[in-house]
């Protein structure tokens, strides 16, 4: 079975709809290279082109990116700087908006991550993967 059909059927579509041109419900194919895990933290995002800054919440996280809940997400392809704050630690990274969901949020993909921030991020991802929340120091 082709992958597109497997993804379509998994999302609740029928074989008839998948094979009928123009009648199938569009399905976003998974493009992530690493799994994301539930994670809650505050974030500040800056649109590097417009120098516009906004606050948000992170609701999932991976070593490659995260999803930010926000009512007015930036357009796909926008270069951003994101600062994520959790307990007494933070991560700052350059990223690009990978996709957006109007009135809901956007997924970003990290471009540059200095080694120190990469280690903080790795600890957060490991804790999120194991379902543990880090206790404040």
């Amino acid at each position: 079975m082709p992958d597109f059909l497997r993804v379509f059927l998994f999302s609740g579509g029928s074989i008839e709809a998948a094979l009928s041109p123009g009648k199938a419900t569009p399905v976003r194919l998974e493009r992530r290279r690493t799994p994301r895990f539930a994670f809650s933290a505050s974030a500040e995002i800056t649109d590097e082109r417009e120098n516009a800054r906004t606050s948000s919440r992170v609701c999932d996280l991976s070593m490659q990116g995260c999803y930010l809940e926000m009512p007015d997400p930036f357009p796909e392809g926008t270069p951003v700087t994101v600062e994520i704050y959790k307990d007494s630690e933070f991560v700052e990274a350059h990223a690009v908006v990978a996709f957006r969901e109007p009135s809901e949020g956007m997924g970003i993909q990290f471009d540059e991550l200095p080694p120190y921030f990469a280690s903080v991020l790795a600890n957060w991802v490991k804790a999120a993967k194991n379902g543990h929340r880090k206790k404040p120091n």
Side-chain angles (χ1 to χ4, degrees), residues 14-30:
S14 69
I15 291 176
E16 294 79 18
L19 298 176
S20 301
K23 295 189 182 203
T25 305
V27 174
R28 178 183 296 274
L29 293 177
E30 182 62 57

Side-chain angles (χ1 to χ4, degrees), residues 1-69:
M1 179 181 305
D3 285 340
F4 82 91
L5 185 55
R6 190 179 328 269
V7 170
F8 182 79
L9 294 174
F10 179 76
S11 66
S14 69
I15 291 176
E16 294 79 18
L19 298 176
S20 301
K23 295 189 182 203
T25 305
V27 174
R28 178 183 296 274
L29 293 177
E30 182 62 57
R31 297 183 299 172
R32 295 180 187 142
R33 293 178 290 173
T34 57
R36 289 193 179 175
F37 302 98
F39 184 78
S40 181
S42 61
E44 295 288 324
I45 306 95
T46 304
D47 176 336
E48 294 177 357
R49 291 181 188 152
E50 303 291 328
N51 202 25
R53 187 173 174 97
T54 188
S55 297
S56 178
R57 292 283 314 154
V58 177
C59 65
D60 69 29
L61 183 72
S62 80
M63 287 302 296
Q64 302 299 319
C66 65
Y67 187 83
L68 302 161
E69 296 175 329

Side-chain angles (χ1 to χ4, degrees), residues 53-111:
R53 187 173 174 97
T54 188
S55 297
S56 178
R57 292 283 314 154
V58 177
C59 65
D60 69 29
L61 183 72
S62 80
M63 287 302 296
Q64 302 299 319
C66 65
Y67 187 83
L68 302 161
E69 296 175 329
M70 53 194 306
D72 192 20
F74 301 143
E76 288 182 18
T78 302
V80 298
T81 299
V82 63
E83 300 166 19
I84 303 171
Y85 299 93
K86 177 77 172 171
D87 300 327
S88 62
E89 296 178 303
F90 79 99
V91 166
E92 181 176 336
H94 292 281
V96 65
V97 176
F99 70 95
R100 70 186 300 251
E101 297 176 311
S103 302
E104 292 184 30
M106 63 187 182
I108 63 170
Q109 180 178 347
F110 302 135
D111 279 342

Side-chain angles (χ1 to χ4, degrees), residues 119-130:
S119 68
V120 172
L121 181 63
N123 288 335
W124 287 349
V125 169
K126 182 179 177 182
K129 179 179 181 179
N130 294 330

